[in-house]
Amino acid sequence: MKLWATAFMASQLFVTSLALAHGPTPQKIDEKMVIDAPVETVWKKVSDFNAIADWHPMVESVTSPEEGTRVLKIKGKGEITDSLDEKDDAKHYMSYRLLEENIEAFPVSFYTVSIELTEADKGTEMSWKGRFYRADTGNFPPEQYNDESAVKAMEAFAKTGMGSLKESLEGKK
């Protein structure tokens, strides 16, 4: 076989192996809920970065080791640490990211979350968006650390938090 043909075949094998071994792909959630309460009332609860345990039932407690960081104790699971990236009171917007992972507590290796409030016909629309990677970033993750488990966990966290906040602010809790 000629040298150029051997080189070509080797390059094709290399490209094929890269295609099969790509690692994790970014996942996302985009959840929304309307809360029958004024934007300022909802924002007062949501915007206190270290008070999430007051309205989110999956968070047992929060400590703040330094300004702009929080350690969340997830009920029955363990701790993760978040870092506040941006908070805009005028726009009712905040974003934060996972600073220290604990895949036993939450099956993701990294996330960024943004929460935004806008006026709606019946109060406030709360938007909770997340971009994240699964817990196991290898090519063949176990089921509890794969993309589906990461999406399920992020959706549950957003929906549970918004649902609890809605019940609390609408007087149903």
Side-chain angles (χ1 to χ4, degrees):
M1 187 180 293
K2 297 202 181 238
L3 183 59
W4 67 267
T6 304
F8 177 76
M9 288 178 58
S11 71
Q12 293 306 301
L13 285 172
F14 178 73
V15 169
T16 302
S17 68
L18 286 178
L20 295 174
H22 62 79
T25 56
Q27 302 297 307
K28 64 182 179 176
I29 62 164
D30 188 356
E31 301 297 329
K32 292 182 179 9
M33 186 173 289
V34 175
I35 300 171
D36 188 11
V39 171
E40 289 303 326
T41 302
V42 180
W43 184 244
K44 186 175 180 181
K45 289 273 196 184
V46 172
S47 67
D48 186 345
F49 188 61
N50 295 323
I52 190 170
D54 294 345
W55 55 270
H56 200 300
M58 293 173 74
V59 179
E60 186 175 315
S61 64
V62 178
T63 56
S64 181
E66 61 187 69
E67 182 71 27
T69 63
R70 67 183 180 192
V71 178
L72 306 178
K73 184 171 184 185
I74 306 298
K75 286 187 179 173
K77 302 219 179 192
E79 296 179 343
I80 57 174
T81 304
D82 288 337
S83 174
L84 183 64
D85 288 336
E86 183 180 355
K87 181 177 159 189
D88 188 326
D89 291 324
K91 293 181 180 178
H92 305 107
Y93 174 86
M94 68 186 297
S95 66
Y96 61 92
R97 71 184 58 239
L98 181 64
L99 190 60
E100 292 179 28
E101 72 182 63
N102 175 351
I103 63 172
E104 299 301 320
F106 208 76
V108 298
S109 61
F110 179 77
Y111 61 69
T112 59
V113 170
S114 65
I115 296 174
E116 185 172 17
L117 307 179
T118 55
E119 288 187 26
D121 289 339
K122 294 197 173 206
T124 302
E125 181 178 82
M126 183 173 183
S127 169
W128 189 309
K129 295 180 181 181
R131 306 292 180 261
F132 51 94
Y133 287 93
R134 66 181 181 232
D136 185 324
T137 58
N139 290 328
F140 306 103
E143 188 175 317
Q144 74 271 25
Y145 299 134
N146 64 15
D147 288 339
E148 292 78 20
S149 67
V151 170
K152 185 177 175 184
M154 290 292 287
E155 284 177 344
F157 195 79
K159 288 176 181 179
T160 301
M162 290 190 298
S164 178
L165 189 61
K166 178 180 175 73
E167 287 179 5
S168 171
L169 293 173
E170 292 180 357
K172 298 175 184 173
K173 189 173 180 183

